[in-house]
Amino acid sequence: MTKLYAFDFDGTLTTRDTLLEFIRYACGTPRFLLGFLIHSPLLVLMKLRLYPNGRTKERIFSWFFKGMKQDTFDGLCRRFAADSRHLLRPDTTAVLEQAKASGAEILIVSASIDNWVQPFFPSVTVLGTQIEVANGLLTGRFLTPNCYGQEKVRRILALHPDRSAYHLTAYGDSRGDRELLAFADEAHQI
């Protein structure tokens, strides 16, 4: 039976939310603060569960990155990963590396944009939120649903539909990981 490990990224493999860290890194603190001030009513509605998490995230992402060249964005993502190794949690990163060394298949299943997650772990499969690009420019929209909650399970099943063919060990830390942890044969809440 195949051994499959699925890790959440933000808060599980990292010490904090990388969306916020990436926006600040890519756009600078003044623009970061302005963008979140403008979107604060939307963030309050999201926290009250009156507006969808994924839609909120997409609108914020669009405000900061719509119209940026994909090459520029991908370069920022690679530099962010190189400059932000300090965000990685040594304990869960060590578990990931040990599982990989044992021959297990590793997945990072994250609501974060896979463009900046992948450079942290280039030899691992990342199932993240994917962005839409048209004519080499970011449209500001997501190509896939926000990889949160039940979407994490859907992504794993799309890649590995025969649930009886693998033993799944999952690591997560938040409400967005509940379904993933419940779906796993072995679950670790961080």
Side-chain angles (χ1 to χ4, degrees):
M1 179 175 281
T2 301
K3 289 190 182 263
L4 185 64
Y5 281 73
F7 293 85
D8 170 55
F9 187 64
D10 294 313
T12 301
L13 289 170
T14 67
T15 56
R16 55 185 86 130
D17 186 332
T18 57
L19 172 65
L20 302 176
E21 295 294 320
F22 179 75
I23 291 172
R24 187 184 303 260
Y25 180 89
C27 301
T29 299
R31 188 153 188 257
F32 169 86
L33 293 173
L34 176 62
F36 279 91
L37 179 63
I38 289 169
H39 289 93
S40 60
L42 197 57
L43 292 166
V44 169
L45 290 174
M46 181 194 75
K47 287 294 183 189
L48 294 172
R49 297 184 185 175
L50 298 173
Y51 196 78
N53 174 300
R55 185 73 181 114
T56 302
K57 182 175 171 180
E58 185 177 50
R59 287 183 60 181
I60 290 169
F61 180 84
S62 181
W63 192 86
F64 286 104
F65 300 108
K66 181 180 180 180
M68 182 179 280
K69 290 182 181 178
Q70 181 180 8
D71 292 344
T72 302
F73 183 76
D74 287 342
L76 281 168
C77 292
R78 287 189 299 275
R79 287 193 301 281
F80 172 69
D83 293 342
S84 301
R85 305 301 292 172
H86 64 279
L87 295 175
L88 293 175
R89 291 175 59 118
D91 53 348
T92 49
T93 301
V95 171
L96 183 150
E97 294 300 336
Q98 289 167 352
K100 192 168 98 176
S102 76
E105 181 178 350
I106 310 299
L107 304 173
I108 296 175
V109 190
S110 175
S112 281
I113 308 299
D114 52 1
N115 298 59
W116 72 70
V117 176
Q118 190 71 66
F120 279 94
F121 297 97
S123 63
V124 169
T125 300
V126 173
L127 304 174
T129 302
Q130 297 176 350
I131 57 173
E132 184 181 76
V133 176
N135 301 316
L137 301 176
L138 278 62
T139 66
R141 292 187 298 271
F142 294 159
L143 191 59
T144 60
N146 188 34
C147 193
Y148 179 90
Q150 189 61 34
E151 183 63 19
K152 292 187 177 201
V153 174
R154 278 194 285 274
R155 296 288 185 86
I156 292 172
L157 286 171
L159 195 61
H160 295 284
D162 183 1
R163 185 60 184 90
S164 65
Y166 54 92
H167 180 274
L168 176 63
T169 302
Y171 290 80
D173 76 302
S174 70
R175 184 171 39 116
D177 301 319
R178 282 184 196 155
E179 293 84 351
L180 170 64
L181 295 172
F183 180 68
D185 297 298
E186 184 181 331
H188 299 272
Q189 177 85 36
I190 303 299

